[in-house]
Amino acid sequence: MVSRGLLCFGGLILLALPLFAAQPVYDAAVFYPVGDAPTGIVCFDFNNDGFLDLATADSASNAVSILINNGAGAFLEAVTYTAGEAPIDIAAGDLNSDNYADLVVADRFADMLSVLWNGGDGTFTSQTEIPVHSGVCAVAVTQLTDGGSDIIVSQDLSRVVSIVRSNGDGTFQAPVDHPVRWTPSGICTADFNLDGYTDFAVGSYEYATYIFRNDGAGSFPDVEENRLGSGATDLAAGDFNGNEYADLVLARVTEGMPVVCMLNTDGLFQFSSSGPWIPNKPNSVVAADLNADGYDDLAFADVEVGAVRILVNLRKEHFSFRTLTASFTGDKPRAIAYGDFDLDGDLDLAVANSGSNDVAVLTNYFCGDLNGDHTVDLGDITEMIEFVYLGGKLSVIRQAANTDSSTDGEITLADITGLISHVYLGGGEPMCSQ
């Protein structure tokens, strides 16, 4: 057995000092059929068994599909429930204080929200309709006060953003409307000024992003029309530069545009920064720490090429990302969600494909992380040496993809050298085969 604290290899004495976050790599997508033309997706534990489930808004079949996790990161056959006309987006949260997640569906052609009530076992057999304005296009559920969950809805044809407060008992207050000048689109929530209250942002297909700052009572008296970011079909919040404030990144469906980030300084969005160019048409975006390094990364659903594009945060003070190879997800991916579906400690992805009527699930693992501790260090180098030269067995299941950093199809001296260079000599990150 090779010592884990000190290792001599090729004349080099290696100490167990550096720790580097690994590169996320995704298995080939596994596809789960749902209803016709799913355009929205959300993940939540609907039956309280400790595993994240999935729900989609199926716009062409006027239905919602529920995919229950089987406890091993895979999903059972979809169960469908009727919604309103042309459900375009979906969100989840406990709206009646029974500790089970209910569903809110944005029914575009009905100018209505459908609330599907969780029966306590992950089934949804009753629903409530909430009339809203024309052109409902996005919905979110969040806690705006110390009370229960509330609903935020974006309506593009009427150019209104509405807040529907829940009474916590299955009833709702009348919507509070906020007219906006430019056509609203996607919604994301975060505490932008770190005052302990949830704020939210709404994108626009045109010339602005709207910032709604919570006054502490769940009201939003001063809505900021910020011109730093525009043309967004979707947006996501995350701390991209390490200053503890939530920044905003936009998904812009215009082909061949750079990723735009609105940087948050002390609660104010005063600067914008452009990231890598997305060559096709990203329709949806999520921000999450995909490689467990403490910094938020990005995943875009590219509707034109049927792929997910991962942007890894380079952990710099400004907005700086590296684009990874796109992973195929299916025909016309319209929405994306993330969660640890298999409870292995890293974040997986789920994509709603409106062209192929299915959900693609991509399981995450870490390039170069051979012992599964989410870092690349001496322990991983030791594992590889033992495997190649001493007949050892790797701790991880996905042996070839997670260790073949030279991508030649074999685990050899070149891979050991590449990992040593990365950890100790400032070499590039290991590039695993997918």
Side-chain angles (χ1 to χ4, degrees), residues 344-364:
D344 66 347
D346 50 58
L347 295 177
D348 312 304
L349 297 173
V351 182
N353 296 311
S354 63
S356 48
N357 303 327
D358 54 32
V359 168
V361 174
L362 292 85
T363 302
N364 184 359

Side-chain angles (χ1 to χ4, degrees), residues 176-426:
V176 176
D177 296 335
H178 294 270
V180 293
R181 177 164 52 160
W182 305 110
T183 306
S185 57
I187 305 165
C188 71
T189 63
D191 181 3
F192 295 132
N193 52 5
L194 300 184
D195 64 353
Y197 296 96
T198 301
D199 313 303
F200 66 94
V202 178
S204 170
Y205 299 113
E206 296 159 321
Y207 304 111
T209 297
Y210 292 97
I211 311 299
F212 290 75
R213 292 187 175 84
N214 197 326
D215 66 356
S219 297
F220 301 84
D222 299 310
V223 179
E224 176 188 350
E225 182 182 288
N226 194 302
R227 302 295 290 270
L228 291 176
S230 61
T233 57
D234 194 18
L235 71 173
D239 180 12
F240 304 123
N241 55 0
N243 69 351
E244 298 185 357
Y245 287 89
D247 310 303
L248 290 171
V249 69
L250 310 183
R252 302 192 293 173
V253 78
T254 305
E255 186 171 0
M257 295 291 287
V259 176
V260 170
C261 178
M262 299 168 56
L263 295 174
N264 185 349
T265 304
D266 298 328
L268 300 175
F269 294 92
Q270 298 177 308
F271 306 96
S272 65
S273 179
S274 295
W277 283 66
I278 300 293
N280 301 106
K281 295 182 178 180
N283 190 73
S284 180
V285 61
V286 291
D289 185 4
L290 300 178
N291 60 351
D293 66 349
Y295 288 79
D296 286 325
D297 309 298
L298 297 170
F300 289 87
D302 191 326
V303 67
E304 184 171 86
V305 298
V308 166
R309 298 186 182 275
I310 307 297
L311 274 64
V312 174
N313 196 325
L314 296 180
R315 295 170 287 181
K316 298 182 179 180
E317 292 183 359
H318 57 285
F319 183 69
S320 183
F321 285 75
R322 178 170 63 84
T323 304
L324 298 184
T325 304
S327 298
F328 175 75
T329 61
D331 187 16
K332 294 182 173 58
R334 294 284 180 178
I336 186 170
Y338 67 88
D340 185 3
F341 303 136
D342 52 6
L343 295 187
D344 66 347
D346 50 58
L347 295 177
D348 312 304
L349 297 173
V351 182
N353 296 311
S354 63
S356 48
N357 303 327
D358 54 32
V359 168
V361 174
L362 292 85
T363 302
N364 184 359
Y365 58 103
F366 291 143
C367 180
D369 176 25
L370 310 188
N371 55 16
D373 63 358
H374 293 181
T375 60
V376 181
D377 56 13
L378 177 63
D380 303 301
I381 297 171
T382 303
E383 288 256 357
M384 188 179 288
I385 292 174
E386 290 181 349
F387 177 78
V388 173
Y389 291 103
L390 303 179
K393 294 183 178 180
L394 297 175
S395 299
V396 296
I397 297 175
R398 305 172 182 87
Q399 295 179 2
N402 212 38
T403 58
D404 181 21
S405 59
S406 61
T407 65
D408 61 359
E410 298 180 356
I411 305 170
T412 64
L413 174 62
D415 303 305
I416 299 173
T417 303
L419 209 57
I420 292 174
S421 175
H422 165 64
V423 174
Y424 291 97
L425 304 179

